Amino acid sequence: ISGAQPFSEFKRVIDSLLGEGDDDDELKPENLLKEPVRGDGKVEIIGYMGYNDPFSKRSWKTLDELFREFGEDNIRLEFRNFPLTFQDEDYKLAQTGECVLSLSNSQTFFKFSSLVMNGEDTFSSVAKVGLNEQEVRNCVSNKKFLPEVLDDLENGEDDGVQGTPTF
């Protein structure tokens, strides 16, 4: 699914996938353990998104609606960074998300991401999810997770992603 599509488009695809066989092996990406994941359903959505992208923000609301409709036991969302340089200079927001993940877990990462995607300040969002703001700032300034962001970008390019969001 490419672009900021409405709930109905996701629902159409997910409904058709839920009715098919149970071959989960095809749904698991090679580097699943490195990426934040929400849910554990057999329908997997890999979302290439950027925190400052207005279309990604709109799609974030659609993803929440999908989880309300289908539940965490039917959908698995894997978040991958695809920051556009004019929206995230030096990929700092993407690195912040990776630092939040490294200091916590996927559940905290998605809480943080929801706050940021809904317009909250980045570092006040860090505090709201219970992490130490200075520790996250240090992580970002050390560029510890820049290679992970660059890996997501490379994977996105390999997958044919040209803009955000792409699912």
Side-chain angles (χ1 to χ4, degrees):
I1 299 173
S2 182
Q5 297 295 320
F7 170 81
S8 59
E9 181 63 12
F10 281 90
K11 182 171 177 22
R12 181 187 65 76
V13 173
I14 291 170
D15 280 339
S16 70
L17 289 171
L18 286 174
E20 293 183 6
D22 354 283
D23 185 11
D24 285 348
D25 290 339
E26 291 181 10
L27 299 176
K28 294 179 185 168
E30 297 171 19
N31 58 353
L32 181 63
L33 296 176
K34 294 192 295 186
E35 308 299 342
V37 174
R38 176 180 174 190
D40 60 358
K42 78 178 202 177
V43 175
E44 183 166 328
I45 300 169
I46 297 174
Y48 289 95
M49 305 176 88
Y51 285 108
N52 274 347
D53 175 44
F55 300 107
S56 291
K57 289 179 179 193
R58 187 179 330 158
S59 292
W60 195 263
K61 292 175 183 179
T62 301
L63 291 169
D64 282 340
E65 192 175 347
L66 290 170
F67 276 103
R68 281 192 300 278
E69 172 75 18
F70 294 102
E72 306 262 338
D73 56 340
N74 284 315
I75 298 176
R76 179 184 196 105
L77 170 64
E78 177 180 317
F79 180 95
R80 292 195 186 172
N81 292 292
F82 204 84
L84 305 176
T85 52
F86 69 93
Q87 294 173 331
D88 186 1
E89 187 179 343
D90 299 327
Y91 309 130
K92 287 184 180 174
L93 278 171
Q95 289 182 71
T96 303
E98 293 295 335
C99 289
V100 166
L101 179 63
S102 75
L103 295 168
S104 60
N105 55 39
S106 284
Q107 184 178 6
T108 302
F109 169 86
F110 279 101
K111 286 179 185 175
F112 164 81
S113 295
S114 286
L115 291 168
V116 173
M117 289 290 201
N118 287 305
E120 296 276 336
D121 174 71
T122 304
F123 286 101
S124 65
S125 298
V126 166
K128 284 181 181 179
V129 298
L131 295 176
N132 181 295
E133 181 181 330
Q134 192 56 52
E135 195 172 2
V136 174
R137 285 184 186 276
N138 290 343
C139 176
V140 173
S141 67
N142 292 334
K143 299 183 180 183
K144 183 176 180 181
F145 291 97
L146 180 59
E148 177 61 27
V149 173
L150 296 174
D151 181 60
D152 283 357
L153 283 165
E154 184 178 322
N155 286 332
E157 289 169 3
D158 290 347
D159 288 344
V161 175
Q162 296 180 349
T164 54
T166 297
F167 301 95

